[in-house]
Amino acid sequence: MNLILETEEHTALRTAVAALGRRHGRGCDPEALWQEAAKLGYLGVNLPEEHGGGGGGIAELSIVLEELGAAGCPLLMMIVSPAICGTVIARFGTEDQRRAWLPGLADGSRTMAFGITEPDAGSNSHRITTTARRDADGRADGGWILTGRKVFISGVDIADATLVVGRTEDARTGKLKPCLFIVPRDAPGFTRSRIDMELHAHEKQFELVLDDVRLPADALVGEEDAGLLQLFAGLNPERIMTAAFAVGMGRYALDQAIAYARERQVWQTPIGAHQAIAHPLAQAHIELELARLMMQKAAALYDAGDDIAAGEAANMAKYAAGEACVKAVDQAVHTLGGNGLTREYGLASLVTAARVSRIAPVSREMILNYVSHQTLGLPKSY
Ligand SMILES: Cc1cc2nc3c(=O)[nH]c(=O)nc-3n(C[C@H](O)[C@H](O)[C@H](O)COP(=O)(O)OP(=O)(O)OC[C@H]3O[C@@H](n4cnc5c(N)ncnc54)[C@H](O)[C@@H]3O)c2cc1C
């Protein structure tokens, strides 16, 4: 029993999801897993009950993703669809938007991608130039015309819509402010081209072009003036969920390495008896546990409604988990010797997959910048 960090319900959820993960396992059909996880209520565990969700929080959703990852079958779209888009719509969407989207996101029948990254802005999201302007003569009810480009957006082909971060001009000050728009997959003027990534994953990445995409007035999520607040409400869950993704993947790799090191014998003892093999695995285990601890703290703060404290903890958790995952995977591959690079053992492809959690959704360096400036009060170099 784990009374302090997780409730009995959390532990039961962990056990149940781990069993689902074992039934599917590495190399499984992600569509089938998505559907089954949804049917069991796991994908919408954080969404409000009145809209078909489980009424839990990011703590519960991160347990689901971590355990699926630890079984070798993480679902990347959980980070964007229920965690970012579901949270933003549940917290800030209009009643109509909630009714239109949340039941589908919760039961897995609908999926939403999330697009903020732009080719010329990269880590500097203040520089995004995707712009929304009022559609003066397009529609009687008013509406929007969205123009811009996005890059590295995951799962746009399988998602029913993409939640696109754009900017509108403040009528009073003339300043640009962020706004979120729901863009249906087949909206005229919304085109995508696949980026050829060195990643073995079901979810593909796309470059998007929004060429005067006409959207109805209710494509704008929530309030035009609350854009920044809404954006942060979605980005903290994204970081916590990326930490869960990384901890899960690190645990999976480590488990493979431990099993191998117990069996493989080339001298008098299994290779796991050599401290050169054992200690780095022990270190990887400790670092994954520490990262998970910070992830639990971030999720608890977020679910308690403390967005500011959750922001710092979510960044630190994402950093720690990304680093722990990269190290665990690297050590796991090394532990298997030549087998670490064979298709049969399937660990080598995790080397690139693990790096994703160091780069996205915010890079290691940008988190170190955040902690330097926000936590330590050091001056900025940029
Ligand atoms: C597999 C994958 C899936 C993704 N899915 C999505 C998605 O669904 N939606 C979405 O919106 N985006 C997505 N992204 C994009 C991701 O969020 C970006 O790649 C990430 O934010 C980094 O931006 P960039 O690639 O432009 O790197 P850049 O910003 O060009 O950074 C390059 C390097 O410079 C460093 N750097 C930049 N500025 C500084 C600084 N001030 N100080 C120190 N170092 C600095 C960075 O840390 C990094 O190492 C995905 C990316 C990947 C790889």
Side-chain angles (χ1 to χ4, degrees):
M1 189 163 11
N2 192 342
L3 280 179
I4 304 168
L5 298 173
E6 288 186 351
T7 62
E8 278 179 25
E9 285 81 11
H10 287 168
T11 309
L13 178 65
R14 221 176 247 293
T15 309
V17 178
L20 170 69
R22 273 196 303 277
R23 281 204 303 283
H24 285 260
R26 188 141 159 84
C28 75
D29 171 5
E31 277 299 321
L33 174 59
W34 184 269
Q35 292 311 330
E36 195 178 346
K39 211 168 88 201
L40 292 166
Y42 298 152
L43 295 189
V45 72
N46 63 315
L47 297 175
E49 273 175 302
E50 67 265 36
H51 293 295
I58 293 299
E60 285 81 3
L61 196 66
S62 61
I63 287 173
V64 174
L65 184 56
E66 183 194 329
E67 290 305 325
L68 292 178
C73 46
L75 294 172
L76 181 85
M77 288 306 280
M78 281 185 68
I79 302 177
V80 276
S81 193
I84 309 179
C85 302
T87 299
V88 169
I89 293 172
R91 280 185 63 177
F92 299 99
T94 61
E95 193 47 37
D96 283 349
Q97 286 165 344
R98 286 192 201 119
R99 272 204 301 271
W101 282 100
L102 295 180
L105 295 184
D107 72 14
S109 59
R110 300 182 92 186
T111 316
M112 204 184 270
F114 176 71
I116 182 168
T117 309
E118 295 190 3
D120 296 332
S123 299
N124 186 0
S125 44
H126 298 291
R127 262 176 82 173
I128 66 170
T129 56
T130 295
T131 309
R133 58 186 201 278
R134 290 277 181 190
D135 189 357
D137 37 42
R139 295 168 187 269
D141 65 340
W144 299 95
I145 302 176
L146 201 56
T147 306
R149 275 171 73 202
K150 298 283 173 188
V151 72
F152 295 127
I153 312 305
S154 301
V156 185
D157 55 333
I158 51 176
D160 299 273
T162 301
L163 187 64
V164 170
V165 183
R167 307 175 90 184
T168 54
E169 194 177 327
D170 191 304
R172 212 167 31 85
T173 62
K175 280 195 180 154
L176 290 173
K177 54 190 181 181
C179 275
L180 292 102
F181 293 91
I182 299 172
V183 182
R185 182 177 45 207
D186 300 318
F190 182 44
T191 50
R192 59 176 186 267
S193 44
R194 194 175 145 190
I195 304 172
D196 199 9
M197 308 288 284
E198 290 268 14
L199 283 170
H200 291 263
H202 169 60
E203 304 82 2
K204 313 287 179 240
Q205 278 67 45
F206 294 88
E207 179 161 2
L208 307 178
V209 175
L210 297 119
D211 182 10
D212 282 350
V213 179
R214 287 198 132 86
L215 298 168
D218 67 1
L220 172 76
V221 175
E223 295 288 319
E224 199 182 333
D225 286 328
L228 201 60
L229 188 72
Q230 294 176 186
L231 189 55
F232 281 116
L235 297 187
N236 286 335
E238 182 182 39
R239 283 161 204 195
I240 297 168
M241 289 294 283
T242 307
F245 182 87
V247 171
M249 184 182 291
R251 280 176 53 197
Y252 173 80
L254 196 57
D255 284 350
Q256 308 305 306
I258 293 164
Y260 193 90
R262 283 195 187 125
E263 296 296 324
R264 172 76 172 156
Q265 192 167 336
V266 288
W267 306 95
Q268 292 84 356
T269 61
I271 56 168
H274 307 308
Q275 288 169 350
I277 291 293
H279 283 185
L281 295 177
Q283 261 175 335
H285 175 71
I286 292 169
E287 286 165 21
L288 287 168
E289 287 285 313
L290 289 173
R292 187 206 285 124
L293 204 52
M294 188 50 100
M295 177 182 97
Q296 287 167 320
K297 175 178 173 178
L301 287 167
Y302 185 80
D303 291 338
D306 191 342
D307 283 344
I308 306 273
E312 183 187 59
N315 270 306
M316 291 186 186
K318 207 299 291 193
Y319 173 92
E323 294 309 297
C325 176
V326 167
K327 271 175 80 174
V329 167
D330 186 64
Q331 193 56 40
V333 169
H334 193 68
T335 301
L336 269 68
N339 278 331
L341 301 178
T342 61
R343 284 251 162 93
E344 184 191 348
Y345 283 87
L347 283 181
S349 62
L350 293 183
V351 172
T352 40
R355 304 294 291 220
V356 175
S357 61
R358 188 182 263 172
I359 298 166
V362 53
S363 74
R364 170 176 66 176
E365 289 69 32
M366 293 313 291
I367 294 179
L368 293 173
N369 285 335
Y370 174 96
V371 172
S372 306
H373 309 145
Q374 304 291 327
T375 309
L376 309 184
L378 292 168
K380 258 182 155 177
S381 69
Y382 56 93

